[in-house]
Amino acid sequence: MTTTMERTSAAPARTLRSTEQIPTSRIIGVELQKMFDTRSGFWLLVGGAIVSVIATIITAFADPHLSYGAFAAAIGAPLSIILPMTGILAVTSEWSQRTGLTTFTMVPHRGRVIAAKLAATMLVGLASIAIAFSVGALGNVIGSAVTGHHTVWDISIGNALTIFLADGLGMLMGFMLGVLIRSSSGAIVAYFVYALVLPAAFGALAAFQAWFRHAQGWVDFHDASTRLYDSGMGGSDWAHLAVAGLIWLVIPLAIGLFTLSRSEVK
Amino acid sequence: MFPLMRRAGVRGEDQAMISIENLSKTYGGFKAVDDVTFAARAGRVTGFLGPNGAGKSTTMRIMVGLTPPTSGTALIDGRPFAELPNPGLDVGVLLDASAQHAGRTGREILALAARTMGLPRMRVDEMLHRVSLSDSEAERRVKNYSLGMRQRLGIAAALIGDPAVLILDEPANGLDPAGIRWMRDLLREYADQGGTVLLSSHLLHEIEVVADDLVVIGNGRIVASGTKEDLLAAAGTFIRTRDAAGLTRALSAAGISSSVTSEGAVRTDADPEQVGVIALEARIALTELRAADGAGLEEMFLELTAESQRDPISSEGAAA
């Protein structure tokens, strides 16, 4: 029989020692690291870079009217799919891979973790778009030199900014779905429904129903944010974007954050 | 209802580092955790024992803020877990060794933990060494890890912040006998250095070797808690004899209830001396007479958790 009756404590009781709150910058750094250190995250981002280079090369040789706009469009298309996926996975992997058990124990403030993920996602998004613009610019210069065309710069600074915004909103949309659904497959399917199925449905509805044709601008967020790619957003376009964004992005995100903060991490 | 019911954590000199008070968690109409109160003290290993589905994991998740309780409190050194500024430095937690990103290497997982807690990178190598994961194993992705390796990695992640408190859910799962021995020594050492260790298990033998205090849970309720010695002492007497039936008759004639186990041994709550005297008077030869220890505790565990056991207990009802 083991006798542990009165363990005359050899050592005094150890007490808590942490005094400093984990700085937000560190949490963002950790979240950035997480986006790159898995194979899926790494290849998603590297794949994005490769695809944008390929798109640039194809554009340089296949498009008879070389312009910066053509390059930007060719690179922007794959990026507009990849960035939302990055946003989704940044959130959902904590649930799908169950790493949330560790993450939310080391930082027991879900709001802080999610905010850090948002910051990390946006940083990656901004960097990706900036790289895409640069690759496009390089392609435009080299492509026009090789083919003997004039180098055409047909994207204004203003338009470049709205393209940034459009890609950023797409990424936020993915992020929102990740927060709301908290499952990788579910959120990815939801994103494609939003990006591919809904526009067609809205288009069909608008074609046959006059009342919806007038309302569409206010409720179709995909349509409203797609207009950001074109130059010349009017005042009503911005109003549409704001209202549709409230419905499709802000409200669901608020609901997602609320349920996420109270949910159980298993 | 339960004669062994005791409350731990009221001894003044031992500091309760984990204190759970009137904790309940209800899912719909189902009470997963039902008014649970216990404490884990510094310098001691507290075993949290119960059959599968008894509410151990839920209680542990509530302790670290992953599951919101329906009512009651769970405090770490008097504070809610979420109020710890950098919890990793205070509480080492291992809830599920498999809950790791399959695509990360063991080293990457520890590096993320070290970075979050603000620890130097060299802590990663120290911990890998501490849990005996080799360099080549540390470079492998976790999906290629055995359960035993995942447990070691999980222990490393729990220890990396050198916390004062350890909360481990079924840490011995998947470890080989040598691994279990290693873990036991590690936890013992941790408690001896003044740390607080709370570990859960559904296997009694695993826990009774290392634990100083026991908290037994069944169907979401605490059915017994106290020091291991107290619970063992309360487990009564264990007797072997060729005439088990005669002995139980003699005991019941003396007003002592007893039961015959599946192996034909007799168990009773009376103390060994009393049983010896009665056996002598009844002229029944005993081949073994002792305070029920491990085996008794096992029966106690089975008995206490009988309602929540999925399998019926064969030794019950053997005595007429």
Side-chain angles (χ1 to χ4, degrees):
Chain A
M1 237 175 101
T2 43
T3 44
T4 42
M5 208 52 195
E6 276 311 307
R7 187 172 291 284
T8 40
S9 314
R14 290 186 55 189
T15 51
L16 306 189
R17 67 188 180 104
S18 82
T19 49
E20 272 171 59
Q21 195 90 26
I22 303 172
T24 302
S25 59
R26 201 196 286 158
I27 305 176
I28 295 174
V30 168
E31 291 303 330
L32 271 173
Q33 190 174 336
K34 283 187 192 172
M35 293 176 85
F36 289 96
D37 75 357
T38 62
R39 220 178 265 179
S40 58
F42 178 77
W43 283 110
L44 197 59
L45 293 164
V46 169
I50 293 172
V51 168
S52 65
V53 170
I54 293 173
T56 304
I57 294 168
I58 292 173
T59 309
F61 291 102
D63 196 330
H65 309 291
L66 279 189
S67 72
Y68 190 41
F71 283 103
I75 299 166
L79 210 59
S80 70
I81 297 291
I82 287 169
L83 290 182
M85 295 301 120
T86 316
I88 288 173
L89 292 179
V91 182
T92 56
S93 66
E94 299 283 2
W95 278 266
S96 292
Q97 295 279 344
R98 300 184 62 221
T99 47
L101 248 65
T102 320
T103 305
F104 296 117
T105 307
M106 287 192 291
V107 185
H109 304 277
R110 299 188 195 172
R112 290 191 76 197
V113 174
I114 297 298
K117 282 184 185 296
L118 182 61
T121 306
M122 285 298 141
L123 282 174
V124 169
L126 281 180
S128 310
I129 301 164
I131 290 169
F133 268 110
S134 314
V135 172
L138 203 66
N140 196 23
V141 170
I142 297 172
S144 57
V146 170
T147 55
H149 287 81
H150 265 295
T151 316
V152 183
W153 301 100
D154 55 355
I155 292 183
S156 66
I157 296 291
N159 192 197
L161 289 178
T162 56
I163 292 174
F164 258 89
L165 182 61
D167 285 333
L169 286 176
M171 209 166 180
L172 261 180
M173 197 67 196
F175 192 83
M176 178 278 286
L177 288 170
V179 169
L180 189 66
I181 297 174
R182 301 196 285 278
S183 140
S184 300
S185 49
I188 288 171
V189 168
Y191 183 79
F192 282 110
V193 168
Y194 158 77
L196 302 176
V197 180
L198 266 185
F202 278 156
L205 194 60
F208 296 109
Q209 300 286 333
W211 62 267
F212 185 74
R213 210 170 305 146
H214 300 299
Q216 186 180 9
W218 300 102
V219 296
D220 189 342
F221 185 54
H222 190 265
D223 183 60
S225 55
T226 307
R227 279 170 205 272
L228 286 168
Y229 288 106
D230 308 325
S231 55
M233 282 279 287
S236 68
D237 290 328
W238 287 111
H240 285 164
L241 185 69
V243 172
L246 184 75
I247 299 170
W248 283 90
L249 195 58
V250 179
I251 293 174
L253 186 62
I255 295 171
L257 287 173
F258 179 76
T259 55
L260 186 148
S261 68
R262 303 178 154 238
S263 71
E264 211 178 346
V265 182
K266 280 193 166 181
Chain B
M1 182 159 76
F2 295 105
L4 302 166
M5 194 76 177
R6 268 189 197 95
R7 293 275 182 234
V10 281
R11 298 185 176 191
E13 73 274 20
D14 286 318
Q15 196 175 354
M17 288 295 284
I18 302 175
S19 42
I20 309 296
E21 273 176 42
N22 305 110
L23 199 70
S24 292
K25 175 69 187 175
T26 312
Y27 295 99
F30 172 67
K31 283 204 157 184
V33 177
D34 189 0
D35 198 26
V36 160
T37 298
F38 70 87
R41 290 171 288 161
R44 300 179 73 88
V45 176
T46 302
F48 194 23
L49 190 61
N52 291 320
K56 301 187 297 288
S57 298
T58 307
T59 305
M60 287 178 142
R61 275 206 313 277
I62 293 173
M63 278 177 212
V64 298
L66 291 176
T67 293
T70 306
S71 63
T73 54
L75 301 177
I76 309 290
D77 201 10
R79 300 151 83 179
F81 186 87
E83 278 179 21
L84 305 177
N86 191 345
L89 301 181
D90 291 326
V91 186
V93 182
L94 172 59
L95 294 182
D96 185 344
S98 296
Q100 281 301 349
H101 199 298
R104 285 200 185 105
T105 67
R107 182 182 293 280
E108 279 168 348
I109 286 167
L110 291 184
L112 283 173
R115 191 170 170 191
T116 307
M117 295 173 201
L119 301 167
R121 291 275 316 201
M122 56 177 247
R123 273 300 277 176
V124 173
D125 288 301
E126 284 173 24
M127 285 303 111
L128 287 169
H129 182 72
R130 176 100 189 253
V131 302
S132 312
L133 282 175
S134 71
D135 279 347
S136 72
E137 285 169 333
E139 303 306 328
R140 261 192 254 161
R141 289 177 198 277
V142 168
K143 69 173 158 220
N144 300 320
Y145 275 29
S146 65
L147 182 55
M149 285 165 76
R150 286 175 201 214
Q151 291 287 14
R152 285 175 187 269
L153 183 67
I155 296 283
L159 293 177
I160 199 165
D162 192 23
V165 179
L166 283 178
I167 296 176
L168 313 171
D169 195 2
E170 302 270 1
N173 263 7
L175 289 178
D176 54 26
I180 290 175
R181 177 64 187 271
W182 161 81
M183 163 101 65
R184 194 184 295 158
D185 293 346
L186 187 148
L187 298 182
R188 181 74 268 156
E189 191 191 323
Y190 219 83
D192 287 348
Q193 287 170 355
T196 306
V197 180
L198 177 70
L199 83 155
S200 76
S201 179
H202 64 285
L203 298 174
L204 174 70
H205 288 298
E206 209 172 86
I207 261 189
E208 67 169 312
V209 192
V210 65
D212 304 307
D213 296 318
L214 287 174
V215 176
V216 187
I217 188 170
N219 272 343
R221 299 186 69 93
I222 301 295
V223 290
S225 70
T227 65
K228 186 170 66 182
E229 285 71 29
D230 285 354
L231 293 179
L232 282 173
T237 304
F238 183 88
I239 313 115
R240 282 188 192 281
T241 171
R242 292 218 174 139
D243 186 10
L247 181 63
T248 51
R249 264 198 308 278
L251 285 170
S252 72
I256 296 166
S257 67
S258 61
S259 61
V260 181
T261 69
S262 52
E263 296 95 40
V266 178
R267 262 212 57 227
T268 172
D269 289 339
D271 62 64
E273 188 185 347
Q274 217 179 342
V275 175
V277 170
I278 291 165
L280 177 67
E281 284 168 357
R283 300 184 58 78
I284 292 168
L286 304 182
T287 52
E288 194 175 350
L289 172 67
R290 61 182 166 86
D293 51 17
L297 192 56
E298 175 156 33
E299 286 209 358
M300 180 203 82
F301 175 53
L302 288 173
E303 228 171 83
L304 289 172
T305 57
E307 299 153 51
S308 51
Q309 282 285 337
R310 288 169 202 278
D311 305 312
I313 302 159
S314 54
S315 63
E316 282 290 304

